[in-house]
Amino acid sequence: MEKDRLSRRAALAGLAGTAGALGLGGGTAVAAPSGRRLRVLVATNEPWGTYHVKPLLAEAARRGWRLTQLVPDLAQIKPGDPVPVSTPEDAPRADLLVVTGAGDWPLKCAARFGRLPVVASSLAYLGPKEAPEAWRLRWRLRAVTSSSPAEGRAFAGYLGIHRRVRIVGSPQTDDLPVRRPEAGLVLVLTSVTRPDGTGGSAPGTELLLAAAERLQSSGRRVLVGLHPREDRRLWERYEISAVPSIQAAARAEAAVGIPGTVFPMIAAVGTPVVGCVDPALTVPHYLLAVCSSTVGQVAEVERAVASARLPSAAVLRDAVGPVGGSAARLLDAWSRAVPGFPR
């Protein structure tokens, strides 16, 4: 088991030292910050989606940096959320604005903080089609980062850019668990059933619900990894994981879900994934490429799970990116985008 884990890490580690060139674009210069403590504002396509920033907190704290996520209001922030948040009106002084996409909220924040240098960092998957308003951001981007080469290509298409994207890996893979699969256990990865102010929903939930029921009735044990915005009540008949899905994947023989950002990370753990697809669903090709197979009907799910296999090492490297030290590489890329920030 440990030998398999080490070989999987070796296959993924090849990109650790080969981050893409950091392209510098235009932007309004600001005075160099005093000291070495960077002050960063983050605006995500999911305005209240603090779960995208949470994996960066430990590395930011180690450096003494201050990360603040911009939100429209505090109404949807749960008590005890560890991610510091602020409305734009009350935002602290900052040296850098990071946007995770070109949705309405990041664009509003970019317009409000017009003198800050801007970095675009892909912290969750976006479709490869160019965002209608991406042109509003392009001229201000001092750096673009993504977790993997495959995600970087999709992110470049989304932003409508032709420059190199710095590949930093995903902070969520910085501490991959040791895989110890339990016989008969399947991890069901949920998406979002109903849209809300933070973001949209994903077609395919009905198929996924039926697949979970079919797997359980066939004798499989079902462990559910909930998306942070999913309706927990839909899945309470099953065991719901108390730990993040990446950690939960270490227990499973296979995982099944609607293809999303977590799929390459689950495969990086060593757990094969099966994708539930819907005709209305559009996802980047690389998320489908990490799937052992995809199913469009509930009758297909048992066989797909029973025969689930990992993708090739080349596909895995392309989709996952470098493993280990990703949060540090990401924050390094941010610091390089700030004029005068000491190296």
Side-chain angles (χ1 to χ4, degrees):
M1 184 71 67
E2 183 63 16
K3 182 179 179 182
D4 291 342
R5 178 171 179 259
L6 290 174
S7 63
R8 176 166 44 85
R9 277 192 172 274
L12 293 170
L15 288 170
T18 58
L22 179 64
L24 295 181
T28 305
V30 296
S34 59
R36 299 182 60 87
R37 300 191 175 192
L38 207 63
R39 303 164 297 183
V40 182
L41 302 178
V42 182
T44 73
N45 265 17
E46 299 176 79
W48 292 273
T50 57
Y51 43 87
H52 294 313
V53 176
K54 184 178 177 181
L56 305 176
L57 294 182
E59 178 63 21
R62 189 185 70 79
R63 298 177 183 221
W65 289 17
R66 184 181 66 202
L67 302 187
T68 304
Q69 180 161 338
L70 296 171
V71 295
D73 56 58
L74 304 181
Q76 297 191 46
I77 301 300
K78 295 180 180 179
D81 192 319
V83 178
V85 297
S86 172
T87 62
E89 294 76 15
D90 298 322
R93 287 177 59 84
D95 309 302
L96 178 69
L97 172 66
V98 173
V99 297
T100 68
D104 290 344
W105 181 242
L107 288 171
K108 287 179 181 178
C109 294
R112 183 177 183 92
F113 297 95
R115 293 185 59 81
L116 289 179
V118 180
V119 170
S121 289
S122 179
L123 299 182
Y125 93 86
L126 295 163
K129 287 188 176 181
E130 182 176 337
E133 301 294 307
W135 62 271
R136 296 182 181 275
L137 279 177
R138 283 195 291 264
W139 67 276
R140 288 186 60 189
L141 295 179
R142 300 191 65 86
V144 181
T145 74
S146 196
S147 66
S148 71
E151 186 186 61
R153 293 191 296 272
F155 197 41
Y158 169 87
L159 293 173
I161 61 173
H162 301 284
R163 62 204 268 186
R164 297 286 295 278
V165 175
R166 179 172 288 274
I167 305 306
V168 297
S170 171
Q172 295 183 68
T173 64
D174 281 351
D175 188 22
L176 287 176
V178 177
R179 185 168 182 254
R180 295 188 175 92
E182 301 172 16
L185 184 67
V186 178
L187 177 65
V188 173
L189 301 163
T190 77
S191 188
V192 181
T193 305
R194 299 180 182 87
D196 59 23
T198 292
S201 59
T205 297
E206 299 248 344
L207 173 59
L208 187 60
L209 282 164
E213 184 174 356
R214 182 70 166 258
L215 289 167
Q216 186 179 64
S217 65
S218 70
R220 298 269 185 173
R221 294 164 52 217
V222 173
L223 175 66
V224 177
L226 285 179
H227 186 283
R229 293 195 291 114
E230 176 61 305
D231 184 349
R232 183 185 182 95
R233 293 170 297 180
L234 294 173
W235 302 96
E236 286 182 336
R237 62 179 295 185
Y238 307 107
E239 178 187 356
I240 295 178
S241 175
V243 299
S245 294
I246 295 175
Q247 275 70 49
R251 295 176 51 195
E253 289 187 323
V256 58
I258 299 168
T261 304
V262 76
F263 265 42
M265 305 177 203
I266 298 298
V269 173
T271 302
V273 291
V274 172
C276 282
V277 297
D278 184 279
L281 186 67
T282 302
V283 297
H285 172 74
Y286 74 93
L287 294 182
L288 298 176
V290 300
C291 294
S292 171
S293 62
T294 59
V295 298
Q297 300 179 21
V298 68
E300 303 167 338
V301 70
E302 289 178 67
R303 180 178 297 179
V305 166
S307 61
R309 298 292 183 271
L310 288 172
S312 69
V315 168
L316 204 55
R317 284 195 300 268
D318 191 43
V320 175
V323 170
S326 297
R329 281 189 296 273
L330 178 58
L331 269 59
D332 283 347
W334 290 359
S335 69
R336 293 188 184 101
V338 177
F341 189 77
R343 303 290 178 259

